[in-house]
Amino acid sequence: MSSDERSQSTDAHGHEHHDVEGPGYPTPAAMRTESDREKTAFVMSLRVGMDVDGPDLVGVVDVDPESDTYAELIDTVEMPNKGDELHHFGWNTCSSSCHAEGLTRDHLIVPGQRSSRIHIIDASDPRNPVIETVIEPEEVFEHDLSAPHTVHCVPEGKIVISMLGNADGELPGGFLQLDQDDFSIDGHWEADLGDMEMNYDYWYQPRHGVMISSEWAAPETYYPGFDLDDVEAGKYGDSIHIWDWETKEHQQTLSFGEEGLIPLEVRMPHNPEETEGYVGAALSSNILRFWEADDGSWEWEKVIDINNREHEDWDMPVPGLVTDLLLSLDDQYLFFSNWLHGDVRMYDVSDTGNPRLVDQCWVGGNFADRQEVDDREVRGAPQMLQLSRDGRRLYWTSSLFSSWDNQFYPDIGERGSLMLKADVYPEEGRLELDEDFVVDFGDAPGGPARAHEIRWPGGDCTSDVWQ
């Protein structure tokens, strides 16, 4: 039995003294303090837009420092087709269902962003995951949806996936719902779209009956790559949407305008009592805070702004391009990446409306002095982030999206991307690059790959929601 399997067992036994029977942990504090250290990582790895004529894969990375294969890609699950563009993925169930008997966190839901194909992977043995079934694109298109993105398990025995386009790759998008038992498609999650057209990421707080979704663009807009003319033509998002979780109805739109162009990842506190959160606006390169006002409406403010920087190879100032963010399980620290600048930042958000920068780590990108780690050239910059459950290790990958990689960091398209790590010292508010941890997906079996989102067996701070 692997250490990750033991961690799953720990989840089950840990519930006995909390009087809960389902998967995951009864509280964020329990996940943070009672779980074992991560031993393996699942990493989305794709070959779309590369010279390699091969399918995308889910990589299994050894992150156990006591292992002989530490910081190595120890297994891969190749997709049965080419051209999927694996991007984001999630679990069949998580801590939101910790009171539901008979559920086990043992399957990964792995969508293809370009293909709209959805793969169901049995990950009950974390070091030997296998594809169990595949939902073909035609089944998705029947519901006039395409381009799956964020996967969340929800307490009602369902899985909800944000969809960025209709069957033709145009607007509007929506939300696809799967059944947790047999992974069949139920249809749309939403009862109505209201004035939402663009979609991207989402988070929900079931205790308060609210869901928040963000915007990117229509698949037909972002698939070919980034074009500033599309921004000027209003083809990229600038808003987030408030939904009633119970009725599944659209309630309110918060429009940011120039202050919030391309708002991507949404994060709400893990404390289920809270009704606020953050969204990172990629092109505007800032962090926006949103919250529920006393009258039940939602409001927003800009709390962090990243200045554009001049670069001799650019004919315009370079935005930071905030592409991912996360909150630690104790909700004390906010981490986010500036993919074009080349840094990952750590903010103390104990005072949620006044984030305080405590440290940052510069590696790769257009401005970092550090362009090599352990004699490996850093291709790209910090992008997708994942934090250890105890909040002491921050991992990241350096690829964003195939066509965007090829525009801004063409070396990724030729030689693959990297997975790196920084040690976190929360008591001191400090980050320190781990010089010995480099996973080069340029060495992946079958040829180079682009590493993207990261998940831990047993759950993590970007997949688990609490009631």
Side-chain angles (χ1 to χ4, degrees):
M1 180 181 288
S2 77
S3 56
D4 294 282
E5 288 179 290
R6 288 198 297 272
S7 176
Q8 296 277 46
S9 176
T10 300
D11 290 0
H13 291 301
H15 281 99
E16 292 177 1
H17 66 275
H18 291 290
D19 296 322
V20 292
E21 300 295 335
Y25 296 81
T27 65
M31 175 180 270
R32 181 169 57 88
T33 61
E34 296 176 12
S35 64
D36 293 339
R37 176 178 173 140
E38 67 282 359
K39 301 293 175 33
T40 58
F42 299 119
V43 184
M44 289 295 90
S45 311
L46 55 139
R47 293 194 169 108
V48 173
M50 304 185 73
D51 293 335
V52 179
D53 184 27
D56 297 352
L57 55 96
V58 176
V60 181
V61 174
D62 189 334
V63 291
D64 179 3
E66 303 301 318
S67 171
D68 292 338
T69 54
Y70 178 60
E72 294 182 15
L73 189 61
I74 58 174
D75 192 19
T76 60
V77 182
E78 288 200 343
M79 300 300 102
N81 300 276
K82 299 176 183 178
D84 286 311
E85 183 118 11
L86 303 186
H87 194 63
H88 285 212
F89 65 131
W91 290 103
N92 62 314
T93 187
C94 75
S95 295
S96 66
S97 298
C98 71
H99 293 281
E101 296 184 36
L103 294 176
T104 304
R105 192 201 313 256
D106 56 5
H107 284 78
L108 289 167
I109 315 303
V110 181
Q113 235 289 309
R114 285 183 187 267
S115 69
S116 298
R117 187 175 287 111
I118 301 173
H119 311 85
I120 311 300
I121 294 182
D122 183 340
S124 52
D125 179 353
R127 297 194 172 219
N128 186 33
V130 294
I131 295 177
E132 181 172 302
T133 189
V134 178
I135 301 172
E136 294 296 341
E138 292 74 19
E139 299 177 63
V140 176
F141 298 156
E142 287 180 7
H143 302 276
D144 198 22
L145 291 170
S146 70
H149 190 267
T150 299
V151 178
H152 276 301
C153 48
V154 304
E156 296 81 16
K158 303 297 180 181
I159 298 159
V160 177
I161 306 174
S162 61
M163 310 293 289
L164 276 57
N166 65 16
D168 296 319
E170 301 170 348
L171 298 176
F175 298 89
L176 188 72
Q177 183 168 283
L178 308 183
D179 187 88
Q180 279 180 339
D181 291 331
D182 60 7
F183 306 109
S184 59
I185 297 178
D186 288 340
H188 283 245
W189 170 83
E190 74 279 2
D192 76 88
L193 286 174
D195 61 2
M196 189 213 85
E197 289 191 331
M198 299 181 194
N199 203 3
Y200 185 69
D201 189 33
Y202 79 95
W203 197 273
Y204 68 100
Q205 290 284 47
R207 186 173 295 188
H208 295 282
V210 67
M211 183 178 87
I212 313 292
S213 67
S214 62
E215 299 185 336
W216 192 6
E220 63 178 2
T221 298
Y222 64 80
Y223 277 173
F226 179 72
D227 187 336
L228 194 58
D229 290 341
D230 288 335
V231 178
E232 296 172 355
K235 293 184 178 181
Y236 279 94
D238 67 354
S239 303
I240 60 173
H241 300 273
I242 317 299
W243 304 79
D244 186 306
W245 184 250
E246 300 300 327
T247 67
K248 305 178 182 179
E249 295 175 323
H250 185 275
Q251 297 289 302
Q252 186 181 351
T253 298
L254 297 183
S255 296
F256 307 132
E258 294 291 328
E259 293 282 20
L261 292 173
I262 314 185
L264 295 181
E265 307 297 336
V266 177
R267 303 290 182 237
M268 298 183 77
H270 299 96
N271 179 356
E273 293 284 354
E274 300 295 335
T275 51
E276 64 177 318
Y278 301 98
V279 61
L283 189 58
S284 297
S285 299
N286 53 37
I287 303 295
L288 308 169
R289 173 179 170 258
F290 54 86
W291 70 94
E292 185 178 23
D294 292 340
D295 64 0
S297 65
W298 289 73
E299 301 179 2
W300 67 276
E301 64 179 346
K302 180 175 67 175
V303 291
I304 301 172
D305 199 8
I306 307 303
N307 293 328
N308 296 346
R309 298 182 59 169
E310 300 290 339
H311 192 286
E312 61 182 7
D313 296 330
W314 284 61
D315 57 7
M316 58 176 282
V318 183
L321 209 73
V322 177
T323 51
D324 194 22
L325 68 157
L326 59 78
L327 284 165
S328 58
L329 282 169
D330 60 4
D331 296 328
Q332 181 178 357
Y333 290 108
L334 172 73
F335 299 84
F336 67 85
S337 54
N338 288 307
W339 189 62
L340 288 180
H341 282 184
D343 64 311
V344 58
R345 295 189 173 204
M346 177 180 181
Y347 281 77
D348 186 329
V349 289
S350 301
D351 180 354
T352 57
N354 295 284
R356 179 173 61 88
L357 177 64
V358 293
D359 207 357
Q360 63 193 129
C361 187
W362 287 90
V363 188
N366 287 285
F367 296 99
D369 292 335
R370 187 62 178 271
Q371 296 290 334
E372 288 188 355
V373 178
D374 195 26
D375 297 325
R376 299 279 183 145
E377 179 187 359
V378 177
R379 301 181 291 277
Q383 208 285 102
M384 290 306 300
L385 308 176
Q386 190 55 266
L387 186 66
S388 63
R389 290 181 287 257
D390 62 7
R392 296 186 176 277
R393 292 165 297 283
L394 181 71
Y395 300 77
W396 64 83
T397 56
S398 58
S399 166
L400 174 61
F401 194 76
S402 61
S403 50
W404 295 43
D405 290 350
N406 293 347
Q407 276 183 272
F408 298 107
Y409 296 113
D411 283 352
I412 295 178
E414 297 171 3
R415 293 184 285 147
S417 67
L418 304 180
M419 178 178 174
L420 299 172
K421 166 182 170 286
D423 291 314
V424 182
Y425 301 89
E427 297 87 357
E428 306 170 32
R430 185 167 65 85
L431 287 170
E432 184 176 313
L433 180 69
D434 184 342
E435 305 278 355
D436 299 320
F437 185 92
V438 182
V439 184
D440 192 339
F441 281 76
D443 299 331
R450 310 173 191 267
H452 197 67
E453 193 171 39
I454 304 167
R455 293 254 173 261
W456 309 132
D460 50 67
C461 66
T462 59
S463 64
D464 279 55
V465 174
W466 280 266
Q467 292 201 72

